[in-house]
PDB file of all heavy atoms in Angstrom:
ATOM      1  N   VAL A  99       0.493   2.200 -10.363  1.00 89.00           N
ATOM      2  CA  VAL A  99       1.615   2.556 -11.184  1.00 89.00           C
ATOM      3  C   VAL A  99       1.576   4.029 -11.489  1.00 89.00           C
ATOM      4  O   VAL A  99       0.492   4.538 -11.944  1.00 89.00           O
ATOM      5  CB  VAL A  99       1.642   1.747 -12.486  1.00 89.00           C
ATOM      6  CG1 VAL A  99       2.849   2.139 -13.383  1.00 89.00           C
ATOM      7  CG2 VAL A  99       1.690   0.276 -12.210  1.00 89.00           C
ATOM      8  N   ALA A 100       2.636   4.813 -11.259  1.00 92.00           N
ATOM      9  CA  ALA A 100       2.728   6.221 -11.568  1.00 92.00           C
ATOM     10  C   ALA A 100       3.961   6.414 -12.432  1.00 92.00           C
ATOM     11  O   ALA A 100       5.064   5.953 -12.143  1.00 92.00           O
ATOM     12  CB  ALA A 100       2.788   7.089 -10.366  1.00 92.00           C
ATOM     13  N   VAL A 101       3.729   7.090 -13.565  1.00 94.00           N
ATOM     14  CA  VAL A 101       4.856   7.291 -14.531  1.00 94.00           C
ATOM     15  C   VAL A 101       4.902   8.741 -15.017  1.00 94.00           C
ATOM     16  O   VAL A 101       3.831   9.328 -15.315  1.00 94.00           O
ATOM     17  CB  VAL A 101       4.632   6.374 -15.809  1.00 94.00           C
ATOM     18  CG1 VAL A 101       5.696   6.592 -16.834  1.00 94.00           C
ATOM     19  CG2 VAL A 101       4.587   4.894 -15.345  1.00 94.00           C
ATOM     20  N   MET A 102       6.073   9.286 -15.064  1.00 97.00           N
ATOM     21  CA  MET A 102       6.310  10.578 -15.678  1.00 97.00           C
ATOM     22  C   MET A 102       7.270  10.367 -16.852  1.00 97.00           C
ATOM     23  O   MET A 102       8.328   9.758 -16.653  1.00 97.00           O
ATOM     24  CB  MET A 102       6.899  11.627 -14.744  1.00 97.00           C
ATOM     25  CG  MET A 102       7.113  12.976 -15.368  1.00 97.00           C
ATOM     26  SD  MET A 102       7.573  14.278 -14.240  1.00 97.00           S
ATOM     27  CE  MET A 102       9.376  13.973 -14.138  1.00 97.00           C
ATOM     28  N   GLU A 103       6.897  10.821 -18.097  1.00 95.00           N
ATOM     29  CA  GLU A 103       7.772  10.587 -19.218  1.00 95.00           C
ATOM     30  C   GLU A 103       8.081  11.933 -19.807  1.00 95.00           C
ATOM     31  O   GLU A 103       7.182  12.771 -20.088  1.00 95.00           O
ATOM     32  CB  GLU A 103       7.048   9.729 -20.217  1.00 95.00           C
ATOM     33  CG  GLU A 103       6.833   8.314 -19.654  1.00 95.00           C
ATOM     34  CD  GLU A 103       6.241   7.388 -20.702  1.00 95.00           C
ATOM     35  OE1 GLU A 103       5.097   7.562 -21.072  1.00 95.00           O
ATOM     36  OE2 GLU A 103       6.955   6.450 -21.058  1.00 95.00           O
ATOM     37  N   ILE A 104       9.373  12.191 -20.051  1.00 97.00           N
ATOM     38  CA  ILE A 104       9.844  13.478 -20.540  1.00 97.00           C
ATOM     39  C   ILE A 104      10.355  13.236 -21.985  1.00 97.00           C
ATOM     40  O   ILE A 104      11.254  12.463 -22.221  1.00 97.00           O
ATOM     41  CB  ILE A 104      11.006  14.005 -19.713  1.00 97.00           C
ATOM     42  CG1 ILE A 104      10.539  14.170 -18.226  1.00 97.00           C
ATOM     43  CG2 ILE A 104      11.518  15.340 -20.240  1.00 97.00           C
ATOM     44  CD1 ILE A 104      11.628  14.457 -17.228  1.00 97.00           C
ATOM     45  N   GLY A 105       9.757  13.935 -22.908  1.00 96.00           N
ATOM     46  CA  GLY A 105      10.173  13.866 -24.316  1.00 96.00           C
ATOM     47  C   GLY A 105      11.313  14.853 -24.594  1.00 96.00           C
ATOM     48  O   GLY A 105      11.191  16.045 -24.491  1.00 96.00           O
ATOM     49  N   LEU A 106      12.468  14.286 -24.916  1.00 95.00           N
ATOM     50  CA  LEU A 106      13.673  15.057 -25.250  1.00 95.00           C
ATOM     51  C   LEU A 106      13.827  15.082 -26.739  1.00 95.00           C
ATOM     52  O   LEU A 106      13.117  14.323 -27.484  1.00 95.00           O
ATOM     53  CB  LEU A 106      14.869  14.430 -24.584  1.00 95.00           C
ATOM     54  CG  LEU A 106      14.814  14.297 -23.050  1.00 95.00           C
ATOM     55  CD1 LEU A 106      16.033  13.516 -22.521  1.00 95.00           C
ATOM     56  CD2 LEU A 106      14.697  15.618 -22.405  1.00 95.00           C
ATOM     57  N   PRO A 107      14.698  15.904 -27.296  1.00 94.00           N
ATOM     58  CA  PRO A 107      14.825  15.927 -28.754  1.00 94.00           C
ATOM     59  C   PRO A 107      15.200  14.591 -29.419  1.00 94.00           C
ATOM     60  O   PRO A 107      14.697  14.248 -30.464  1.00 94.00           O
ATOM     61  CB  PRO A 107      15.981  16.947 -28.959  1.00 94.00           C
ATOM     62  CG  PRO A 107      15.927  17.814 -27.753  1.00 94.00           C
ATOM     63  CD  PRO A 107      15.476  16.932 -26.642  1.00 94.00           C
ATOM     64  N   ASN A 108      16.054  13.774 -28.716  1.00 93.00           N
ATOM     65  CA  ASN A 108      16.439  12.515 -29.326  1.00 93.00           C
ATOM     66  C   ASN A 108      16.163  11.294 -28.457  1.00 93.00           C
ATOM     67  O   ASN A 108      16.744  10.218 -28.724  1.00 93.00           O
ATOM     68  CB  ASN A 108      17.965  12.596 -29.620  1.00 93.00           C
ATOM     69  CG  ASN A 108      18.238  13.616 -30.687  1.00 93.00           C
ATOM     70  OD1 ASN A 108      17.591  13.686 -31.729  1.00 93.00           O
ATOM     71  ND2 ASN A 108      19.191  14.468 -30.372  1.00 93.00           N
ATOM     72  N   ALA A 109      15.375  11.420 -27.434  1.00 92.00           N
ATOM     73  CA  ALA A 109      15.116  10.321 -26.518  1.00 92.00           C
ATOM     74  C   ALA A 109      13.888  10.626 -25.614  1.00 92.00           C
ATOM     75  O   ALA A 109      13.388  11.755 -25.666  1.00 92.00           O
ATOM     76  CB  ALA A 109      16.323  10.072 -25.604  1.00 92.00           C
ATOM     77  N   THR A 110      13.468   9.635 -24.893  1.00 93.00           N
ATOM     78  CA  THR A 110      12.422   9.763 -23.902  1.00 93.00           C
ATOM     79  C   THR A 110      12.923   9.194 -22.626  1.00 93.00           C
ATOM     80  O   THR A 110      13.598   8.138 -22.585  1.00 93.00           O
ATOM     81  CB  THR A 110      11.139   9.014 -24.300  1.00 93.00           C
ATOM     82  OG1 THR A 110      10.684   9.532 -25.565  1.00 93.00           O
ATOM     83  CG2 THR A 110      10.037   9.166 -23.301  1.00 93.00           C
ATOM     84  N   VAL A 111      12.640   9.864 -21.494  1.00 94.00           N
ATOM     85  CA  VAL A 111      13.041   9.366 -20.167  1.00 94.00           C
ATOM     86  C   VAL A 111      11.704   8.996 -19.477  1.00 94.00           C
ATOM     87  O   VAL A 111      10.776   9.780 -19.436  1.00 94.00           O
ATOM     88  CB  VAL A 111      13.732  10.455 -19.338  1.00 94.00           C
ATOM     89  CG1 VAL A 111      14.103   9.903 -17.962  1.00 94.00           C
ATOM     90  CG2 VAL A 111      15.001  10.883 -20.076  1.00 94.00           C
ATOM     91  N   THR A 112      11.661   7.819 -18.904  1.00 94.00           N
ATOM     92  CA  THR A 112      10.508   7.301 -18.209  1.00 94.00           C
ATOM     93  C   THR A 112      10.854   7.098 -16.750  1.00 94.00           C
ATOM     94  O   THR A 112      11.753   6.270 -16.489  1.00 94.00           O
ATOM     95  CB  THR A 112       9.988   6.007 -18.881  1.00 94.00           C
ATOM     96  OG1 THR A 112       9.629   6.254 -20.189  1.00 94.00           O
ATOM     97  CG2 THR A 112       8.839   5.420 -18.148  1.00 94.00           C
ATOM     98  N   ILE A 113      10.136   7.756 -15.834  1.00 96.00           N
ATOM     99  CA  ILE A 113      10.346   7.619 -14.394  1.00 96.00           C
ATOM    100  C   ILE A 113       9.112   6.873 -13.895  1.00 96.00           C
ATOM    101  O   ILE A 113       8.028   7.281 -14.082  1.00 96.00           O
ATOM    102  CB  ILE A 113      10.522   8.968 -13.721  1.00 96.00           C
ATOM    103  CG1 ILE A 113      11.730   9.720 -14.310  1.00 96.00           C
ATOM    104  CG2 ILE A 113      10.637   8.831 -12.211  1.00 96.00           C
ATOM    105  CD1 ILE A 113      11.349  10.894 -15.179  1.00 96.00           C
ATOM    106  N   LEU A 114       9.362   5.764 -13.190  1.00 93.00           N
ATOM    107  CA  LEU A 114       8.313   4.828 -12.847  1.00 93.00           C
ATOM    108  C   LEU A 114       8.322   4.480 -11.344  1.00 93.00           C
ATOM    109  O   LEU A 114       9.416   4.201 -10.833  1.00 93.00           O
ATOM    110  CB  LEU A 114       8.495   3.554 -13.671  1.00 93.00           C
ATOM    111  CG  LEU A 114       7.833   2.268 -13.216  1.00 93.00           C
ATOM    112  CD1 LEU A 114       6.358   2.310 -13.615  1.00 93.00           C
ATOM    113  CD2 LEU A 114       8.492   1.091 -13.891  1.00 93.00           C
ATOM    114  N   ALA A 115       7.152   4.478 -10.741  1.00 93.00           N
ATOM    115  CA  ALA A 115       7.024   4.000  -9.334  1.00 93.00           C
ATOM    116  C   ALA A 115       5.805   3.085  -9.263  1.00 93.00           C
ATOM    117  O   ALA A 115       4.743   3.447  -9.763  1.00 93.00           O
ATOM    118  CB  ALA A 115       6.886   5.217  -8.351  1.00 93.00           C
ATOM    119  N   ILE A 116       6.006   1.919  -8.681  1.00 89.00           N
ATOM    120  CA  ILE A 116       4.964   0.910  -8.497  1.00 89.00           C
ATOM    121  C   ILE A 116       4.681   0.725  -7.032  1.00 89.00           C
ATOM    122  O   ILE A 116       5.558   0.846  -6.186  1.00 89.00           O
ATOM    123  CB  ILE A 116       5.376  -0.388  -9.202  1.00 89.00           C
ATOM    124  CG1 ILE A 116       5.574  -0.174 -10.675  1.00 89.00           C
ATOM    125  CG2 ILE A 116       4.334  -1.489  -8.956  1.00 89.00           C
ATOM    126  CD1 ILE A 116       6.055  -1.378 -11.462  1.00 89.00           C
ATOM    127  N   ALA A 117       3.447   0.411  -6.713  1.00 86.00           N
ATOM    128  CA  ALA A 117       2.996   0.267  -5.358  1.00 86.00           C
ATOM    129  C   ALA A 117       3.793  -0.784  -4.537  1.00 86.00           C
ATOM    130  O   ALA A 117       3.802  -0.725  -3.302  1.00 86.00           O
ATOM    131  CB  ALA A 117       1.508  -0.015  -5.250  1.00 86.00           C
ATOM    132  N   ASP A 118       4.496  -1.723  -5.195  1.00 84.00           N
ATOM    133  CA  ASP A 118       5.250  -2.718  -4.451  1.00 84.00           C
ATOM    134  C   ASP A 118       6.591  -2.158  -3.998  1.00 84.00           C
ATOM    135  O   ASP A 118       7.377  -2.903  -3.402  1.00 84.00           O
ATOM    136  CB  ASP A 118       5.391  -3.996  -5.294  1.00 84.00           C
ATOM    137  CG  ASP A 118       6.356  -3.812  -6.498  1.00 84.00           C
ATOM    138  OD1 ASP A 118       6.761  -2.679  -6.756  1.00 84.00           O
ATOM    139  OD2 ASP A 118       6.581  -4.808  -7.205  1.00 84.00           O
TER     140      ASP A 118
END
Side-chain angles (χ1 to χ4, degrees):
V99 178
V101 177
M102 181 173 83
E103 298 186 291
I104 303 170
L106 304 173
N108 296 311
T110 301
V111 179
T112 298
I113 300 107
L114 162 79
I116 298 178
D118 69 356

